[in-house]
């Protein structure tokens, strides 16, 4: 996501499309704090900044009318979601953008390639970057964990597993999922 946003900032115009309002808000705030004028458009709010060439938005609020240089579509694996997948499909095939950066897990690569293949000969996957976890999560009594540390997992099973593991190590744990 970091690399994609850096590419977005190098563009003349663009959009960041997120599955959640909070992700859209985070990118909106970050770009504006860095001096890049950026609008925010979600189902709940609309903040339009005069002369902004960038917009951070929830995916369902994507604008298909303005031609832009770069679009970032985050969490593209939600393309396969039964209830919301249409929004990712619409964005991938309908955004009037010169470059579309699709960010997501590797599990979506085949579905994404198939969808893009139906878009015509000018639509290609230029490259696929896979990043790996930089450090393994190891739980020991000697862990240096500060108050407020968050451990993010992507399944309920893992949330409950790590919560119990840390409780057994003597840590106070809160679980949100």
């Amino acid at each position: 996501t970091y690399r994609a946003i850096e590419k977005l900032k190098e563009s003349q115009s663009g959009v960041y499309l997120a599955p959640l309002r909070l992700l859209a808000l985070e990118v909106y705030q970050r770009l504006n704090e860095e001096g890049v004028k950026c609008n925010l458009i979600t189902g709940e709010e609309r903040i339009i900044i005069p002369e902004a060439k960038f917009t951070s938005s929830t995916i369902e609020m994507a604008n298909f009318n303005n031609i832009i240089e770069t679009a970032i579509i985050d969490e593209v694996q939600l393309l396969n979601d039964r209830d919301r997948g249409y929004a990712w499909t619409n964005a991938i095939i309908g955004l009037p953008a010169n470059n579309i950066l699709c960010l997501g897990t590797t599990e979506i690569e085949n579905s994404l390639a198939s969808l893009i293949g139906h878009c015509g000969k000018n639509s290609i996957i230029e490259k696929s970057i896979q990043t790996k976890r930089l450090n393994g999560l190891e739980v020991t009594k000697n862990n240096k964990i500060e108050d407020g540390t968050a451990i993010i997992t992507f399944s309920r099973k893992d949330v409950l597993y790590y919560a119990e593991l840390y409780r057994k190590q003597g840590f106070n744990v809160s679980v949100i999922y």
Side-chain angles (χ1 to χ4, degrees), residues 105-161:
T105 63
T106 56
E107 70 190 36
I108 195 64
E109 199 165 354
N110 290 336
S111 295
L112 186 57
S114 176
L115 178 62
I116 291 171
H118 291 295
C119 292
K121 64 181 180 180
N122 291 330
S123 300
I124 59 169
I125 297 178
E126 190 171 298
K127 61 183 169 180
S128 175
I129 298 173
Q130 297 179 10
T131 57
K132 295 181 180 156
R133 184 182 183 92
L134 297 177
N135 57 350
L137 179 61
E138 184 178 333
V139 180
T140 69
K141 286 188 175 192
N142 297 324
N143 280 126
K144 303 275 191 242
I145 297 177
E146 298 176 20
D147 287 344
T149 296
I151 297 173
I152 313 298
T153 68
F154 294 94
S155 76
R156 183 184 316 190
K157 180 180 175 184
D158 284 346
V159 168
L160 297 174
Y161 170 78

Side-chain angles (χ1 to χ4, degrees), residues 12 29 56 104 114 116 119 154 168 172 177:
Q12 295 299 311
Q29 288 174 333
S56 185
S114 176
I116 291 171
C119 292
F154 294 94
K168 286 181 180 178
N172 291 324
Y177 61 82

Side-chain angles (χ1 to χ4, degrees), residues 39 49 75 103 114 119 146-147 150 166 175:
N39 301 312
I49 298 184
E75 301 295 341
L103 310 178
S114 176
C119 292
E146 298 176 20
D147 287 344
Y166 274 96
V175 175

